[in-house]
Amino acid sequence: MNLISKTSPSVGASQARPDALNKVMGHEKFAADYYGPRHLWAGVRRAGIPHGRLISVSTEAAKQVPGVKKILTHKDVNGSNRQGVIQKDQPVLVDDRIRHCGDALALVIAETSQALETALALISFEYEALPGIFTTAEAFQYGAPLIHPTHPGGNCLLSGQLVSGKGLEAFEACDAIVELTIDLPRQEHAYLETECGEAVYEKGELSIVVSTQTPFRDRAETAQAIGISPEKLRIIAPYCGGGFGGKDGITVQSLLGLAAMACPDVPIKMMWSREESFLAGPKRHAASLHYRLGAKQNGVFHALEVRADFDTGPYDHLGGAVLGLALEHAGGPYRIPHAAIQGKAVYTNNTIGGAFRGFGVPQVAAAMEQAVDLMAEKLSLSPLDIRMKNAVQKGDKIPSGTTLKTSTGIRECLARLKAHPLYREADAWKKKAPAHMLRGSGMACALHGMGYGPFVPDTAIAKLELTKQGRFKIYFGVVDMGQGNGVTFLQMAGDLLNQNYENLELVLPDTGLTLPCGSASASRSTYTFGNALIQAVETMKTRLTQRAADSLMVGDGDEFCFIPGHLRHLPTGREFPLAQLAALLGPEERITISRYRALASKETVTQDTALQMHGIPHTVFSYTAHLAHVEIDTLTGGITVCNYTAVTDCGRLINPDLYQQQMQGGIAQGLGYALYEDFITDKGRLLTANLSTYIIPGALDIPPMALSSVDLQENTGPFGMKGVGEICIDPVLPAVANAVADACGGGRCRQWPLTCERMLEILTIPVCPPGADMNRSLI
Amino acid sequence: MKLSFTLNHNALTLETEPDRRVIDLLREDLGLTGTKEACGEGECGACTIRVNKELRLACLMIAAQIEGCSIETIEGLAGPDQALHPVQEAFVQAGAVQCGFCTPGMVMAVTDLLEAIPDPDETQIRKALSGNLCRCTGYQKIMDAAQLAAKKENKCLP
């Protein structure tokens, strides 16, 4: 198959990912596809009640089901029985308190999936029901039950504020003030591959193949939770069938480990059903946002007030870090000298709030970018002009206080957007609206910081091997869940080493083979590992050319250049096969290892160590400006996004196709967030429990998308790149909101998503009814 | 029951429970894991196969229903020596593959479309894909792949 192998990898080119070949043929083996010989099935009895004190679990009836091998409860867990990325507050199997309907009570291992299902249905439990908390407001009511009675903050997982300039006082000096309140829903990741894996425990060693974004962290977290030494636990991460943040943290790992240790020497398989994935997996946080933005008469922003409440569900997961990123990004890519930004992540008995592409930024951007449009309208400025007037440049501070010291391209994005036909021709297009239709055009911007922030070291360790056959193996530990970082590593190494794809090989994340690289998250996969890889390649090049020079007894390594499969001695033209060179080197000499630690900010924007620990401030940011054209059917309330364009500053593109893939996928998810994806619960129980009731966009729902990049150089990035995996989704909802408001004379939605019913309601009520708690202008 | 059917052009007889889901039969019993399960209730299209040349969802069929049928899965699409089918080739070239979990179902859907309508327009493609969910791509490059495959099959391209 020569589609890929004979081409030479080159940075900057749209090259196909090699894994695409196996994927189109159905040969790629995902974690879901592991069926070991004589494997057993493991599954979990979930609570189904939102809050209660567990008294006992009865497994006797289930044990009688033919084919059932073992049933485990918390009494069978030898480790801490607690997991969590930051705080270990989530039980693997509940031992004292049920905190949401998805909590796991008992683990069944059976010979067939039918026996498993029968047994799970026969498990019962006794409990004392506790009153539940289902909104952030309820969490702070007098007498509210404490979800984690020992948590020092009560029902508040984390709260924090960032104040800059004169804070709220500065509103007194504003000529115009606008105000906005919105409520945003949970969003479900809905990756196609649900949480799954296969584990085997043999000779005291546990091996888990799992669909994950975080193999190395999984190893540490699972080991302590289930009581095994991390050295005896191996996590293998094949290509992952979608992650988007939902596999950033433990899903099946600890359960599979427990099952395998209870039934040694046999592979144990677990695959969550779609309903189970919806119930037990993390979600984008539901959030309530209250914004007040003040400006001078000339449109220069002066003051910002933000209050953001995030429903983090029953466990920390990554809720504190999501809040931290939201607070830092709350003011968007604008200069606002005075700001008071405060927020809370609040425990409730709803589903778990956790990481999801954007990580808190889509929520704050949703409010900020609508406030910007309200201000533009109030001051009779165009949405684009008011953004350009206030957009940050390198050296400026964003409202949270973070100074932008690296490439800062929002102004370039806006300038490019202004020249785009969809922008220039928007008015003409709107005027052609058919009967019963309203048309509008709206824009929104965002910035998105990369990496873990100042406190948690953001590192990756690259390993490169010259094989005996003279090929290069790249060992990478940061998962490819579809973003395509794997091919970018081939492009980088192949370009620097001048080797064809057939001379390069990827070794996928595996704690037994690759080295720690951190999580596939935070827009960092390609950036952090790419930087580590470049160093490993340079060390390899120096070593090989030097050895070749010594071997041929010629001057020095500089006289050689790499060509596919060979080193060429330039003065003589003689070619030295890499396989021959490899034979001269011992196994250790054929390997180079390089660790990269991403630049951490030394700036102090807050004295609050909890916020620092949760990632404030960042150093490298990507930027984007989006424009949506919408058409509203006034008879049905149906909204069609007709066209979409986005201009992004994510540094130099390593692979333009991959850039487009990320943007298109992120925009599609953002349109789902804005228009369709209503994750409805009633007292912690799911009313949209599967893909027939929770609607994600299909091929008929997504408009043509025109995407471009301003292609600025980011000097800290490998080959000048910055991350694009998250910024693509950040401003989609407000771009739609602003387009809808443009279409219908300023009507705005308070409770999202903007379904047809809500759209009809907006069309049938006055925009700002007197006395109503609506989004409005204050002065 | 004794079940006889044709799988990717090979006749096959095996012993199975009549109510065994076809997806389990393919994936677990026969090792053909290219057909994916992502919802188990006919919403996502990841388990799309062809039964007697018609698109079907393997998660909604049981073994007894395929007695005597001709089944095509993603593994049967490539030619001898694993030469890619034009639709598979187009998916690789158009960048239509990201995580790849929806890909086999998408490839089956596009293949079926192009056999029925060799030169589909955009709306026809979107409709043909509307039973298959993808969470990575936003569908645009899958649309591109369908158009590229149509050109390849109509010999407009080398």
Side-chain angles (χ1 to χ4, degrees), chain B residues 45-124:
Chain B
C47 66
T48 302
I49 58 172
R50 291 211 294 181
V51 178
N52 294 340
K53 289 276 176 194
E54 286 190 8
L55 289 183
R56 286 288 178 269
L57 298 174
C59 77
L60 295 183
M61 294 189 80
I62 55 172
Q65 288 176 287
I66 61 167
E67 171 64 31
C69 294
S70 167
I71 307 293
E72 290 168 85
T73 71
I74 187 71
E75 289 90 347
L77 214 56
D81 306 328
Q82 296 297 305
L84 292 191
H85 185 280
V87 173
Q88 292 173 315
E89 204 172 81
F91 267 66
V92 174
Q93 289 174 327
V97 180
Q98 293 191 38
C99 92
F101 212 76
C102 76
T103 303
M106 287 286 185
V107 168
M108 295 304 286
V110 172
T111 304
D112 191 71
L113 167 72
L114 297 184
E115 283 182 19
I117 309 173
D119 190 17
D121 62 25
E122 191 193 315
T123 309
Q124 287 168 321

Side-chain angles (χ1 to χ4, degrees), chain A residues 1 3-4 16-17 20-21 23-28 30 32-33 35 39 41 114 187-190 192-193 240-242 244 271 274-275 481-482 657 660-662 664-665 668-669 677 690-692 696-700 702-705, chain B residues 20 24 27-28 33-39 41 43-44 46 74-75 78 82 84 88-89 91-104 107 122-123 125-127 129-130 132-141 143-144:
Chain A
M1 172 63 210
L3 260 187
I4 291 169
R17 60 182 80 204
L21 289 175
K23 288 173 177 174
V24 296
M25 297 210 283
H27 294 163
E28 188 60 55
F30 294 85
D33 300 329
Y35 292 90
H39 64 274
W41 286 90
Q114 292 83 352
Q187 188 180 19
E188 160 61 36
H189 302 80
L192 270 276
E193 184 188 38
C240 170
F244 314 116
M271 180 134 197
R274 180 57 61 185
E275 287 77 3
M481 52 184 161
D657 254 8
Q660 292 199 357
Q661 291 171 359
Q662 285 299 299
Q664 290 165 353
Q669 265 175 350
E677 299 183 29
N690 53 35
L691 290 168
S692 61
I696 65 171
L700 291 163
I702 301 299
M705 294 171 266
Chain B
R20 182 93 169 134
D24 298 327
R27 288 176 54 81
E28 216 175 324
T33 54
T35 301
K36 305 298 183 196
E37 178 167 2
C39 75
E41 52 199 24
E43 287 293 339
C44 74
I74 187 71
E75 289 90 347
Q82 296 297 305
L84 292 191
Q88 292 173 315
E89 204 172 81
F91 267 66
V92 174
Q93 289 174 327
V97 180
Q98 293 191 38
C99 92
F101 212 76
C102 76
T103 303
V107 168
E122 191 193 315
T123 309
I125 298 173
R126 285 193 189 272
K127 281 189 179 157
L129 298 179
S130 65
N132 293 69
L133 293 175
C134 169
R135 195 58 158 165
C136 295
T137 63
Y139 304 99
Q140 190 152 320
K141 289 190 185 295
M143 307 267 310
D144 297 346

